[in-house]
Amino acid sequence: MRAALERMEKDKGLDVLTAKMRRLVLGSYAALMAMMIYRGMQIEGDTGPLVPIIAFVLPLVLFLPSLIGRRPRGHAWLAFVSLLYFAQGVMVATLPGQGLRGVVEAVVSLALFAGCTGYARFRSRQLRGTANGS
């Protein structure tokens, strides 16, 4: 796997790969955020939908400064958090009548995971190359 990634870096270049991973991260992040807001609005409690929305969205919002600042370490941590949404999506997919929504949530969270891990790898190598002057 490592050799394949290094060959891809050599063939396509770090700038292109970093940009592609960035687009994947932003797209899947926005999609997951929208899904969590929608899901929170569907849950009615004594306090209304505000508390569920905050509970679903807060873990994602905490990583917004890392996304804006393009920090590789923040993207790596977001990748780990996205696995929680994957587990939630798999669980929701097993509920009657919720299969499609759960599968979509799982796929979007896996896209976020893949984008974040790729971005963290390529961006950190890009920054290391800039620091070394190459």
Side-chain angles (χ1 to χ4, degrees), residues 7 18 23 50 53 75 80 95-97 101 113 119 122:
R7 191 170 41 253
T18 302
R23 285 191 299 271
L50 186 60
I53 289 173
H75 282 75
F80 293 124
L95 297 174
R101 184 168 69 174
F113 176 80
Y119 183 83
F122 299 137

Side-chain angles (χ1 to χ4, degrees), residues 28 31-32 35-36 39 82-94 98-114:
S28 56
L32 191 59
M35 289 178 68
M36 293 300 103
R39 185 158 180 206
S82 72
L83 294 178
L84 297 172
Y85 290 97
F86 171 76
Q88 176 179 289
V90 170
M91 183 189 70
V92 169
T94 63
Q98 301 294 318
L100 181 61
R101 184 168 69 174
V103 168
V104 170
E105 183 178 334
V107 168
V108 169
S109 64
L110 279 180
L112 182 60
F113 176 80

Side-chain angles (χ1 to χ4, degrees), residues 13-79:
L14 283 174
D15 293 336
V16 171
L17 292 172
T18 302
K20 285 183 180 184
M21 291 297 117
R22 174 92 174 144
R23 285 191 299 271
L24 179 61
V25 166
L26 293 177
S28 56
Y29 180 84
L32 191 59
M33 183 78 76
M35 289 178 68
M36 293 300 103
I37 291 171
Y38 177 73
R39 185 158 180 206
M41 288 190 317
Q42 288 184 329
I43 298 175
E44 282 293 326
D46 295 339
T47 60
L50 186 60
V51 172
I53 289 173
I54 291 171
F56 286 131
V57 171
L58 184 62
L60 293 173
V61 171
L62 292 175
F63 288 96
L64 205 52
S66 291
L67 290 177
I68 293 170
R70 299 176 183 234
R71 292 190 291 265
R73 183 171 286 168
H75 282 75
W77 279 106
L78 179 57

